[in-house]
Amino acid sequence: MVIKTTSSDAERKMLAEAGYADPAINYYLEKKYMGHIENADQVSEKIGSCGDIMKVYLKVDENEIIDDVRYEITGCAGAISAAMAAVELVKGKTVNDALKMNDGDVFKVLGNIPEKKHHCIQLAVKTMHQGIEELKSGKN
Ligand code: FES
């Protein structure tokens, strides 16, 4: 019997061997919240200490509830999976509640990522927080 291996199977295996748990791998492969939002209420950008770049797009309703979030990312698998998990943690929350999301919350949703990738979680969270703070201060 011949088992066909797709490139995403190969990527999945590589990431698992590197220490990424299944939820983190799924977030990375699905990239559900990658891209931009037309008519976003806020667009903010942050550059990580590693030189990677994240841009967050936020859409909020009249009650300051986060309707939609997208990220554009020039970065690693850790950064992409962390950003996708961060979106799920803030969607449907008020901007003030979303600011309470921290690195530990994202790590829990991801299940696990390699230790040397923990700063990628920080970048995702800091970018989200910066976007929300700039939205609140009207600096968009
Ligand atoms: Fe730069 Fe992951 S190595 S964000």
Side-chain angles (χ1 to χ4, degrees):
M1 186 174 82
V2 181
I3 297 172
K4 243 177 108 188
T5 320
T6 63
S7 63
S8 97
D9 286 339
E11 253 182 315
R12 187 174 282 284
K13 188 167 175 275
M14 240 169 53
L15 290 164
E17 282 168 3
Y20 288 84
D22 278 343
I25 296 173
N26 292 338
Y27 280 120
Y28 170 67
L29 292 176
E30 287 166 11
K31 297 179 178 59
K32 261 204 283 190
Y33 307 109
M34 282 287 266
H36 70 284
I37 299 174
E38 292 291 343
N39 310 318
D41 295 304
Q42 179 66 41
V43 184
S44 294
E45 185 177 297
K46 190 151 193 75
I47 302 176
S49 52
C50 57
D52 288 341
I53 305 167
M54 280 197 191
K55 208 183 229 189
V56 68
Y57 294 77
L58 294 164
K59 191 92 193 140
V60 291
D61 72 9
E62 63 283 0
N63 299 314
E64 297 201 318
I65 290 178
I66 298 180
D67 254 354
D68 202 5
V69 188
R70 291 283 183 277
Y71 277 92
E72 283 178 339
I73 300 170
T74 310
C76 69
I80 292 170
S81 58
M84 302 301 100
V87 172
E88 292 205 333
L89 284 165
V90 303
K91 258 183 116 171
K93 292 203 171 140
T94 64
V95 290
N96 287 331
D97 279 345
L99 280 175
K100 294 179 194 151
M101 172 194 60
N102 62 32
D103 300 357
D105 298 330
V106 173
F107 184 79
K108 251 188 247 157
V109 173
L110 293 175
N112 196 31
I113 66 169
E115 204 176 327
K116 61 176 189 290
K117 291 288 165 186
H118 288 187
H119 73 274
C120 315
I121 295 179
Q122 284 174 10
L123 179 59
V125 171
K126 280 185 181 163
T127 306
M128 181 76 78
H129 284 177
Q130 181 179 318
I132 295 169
E133 293 288 7
E134 288 179 356
L135 174 81
K136 284 176 67 169
S137 69
K139 182 190 162 198
N140 52 6

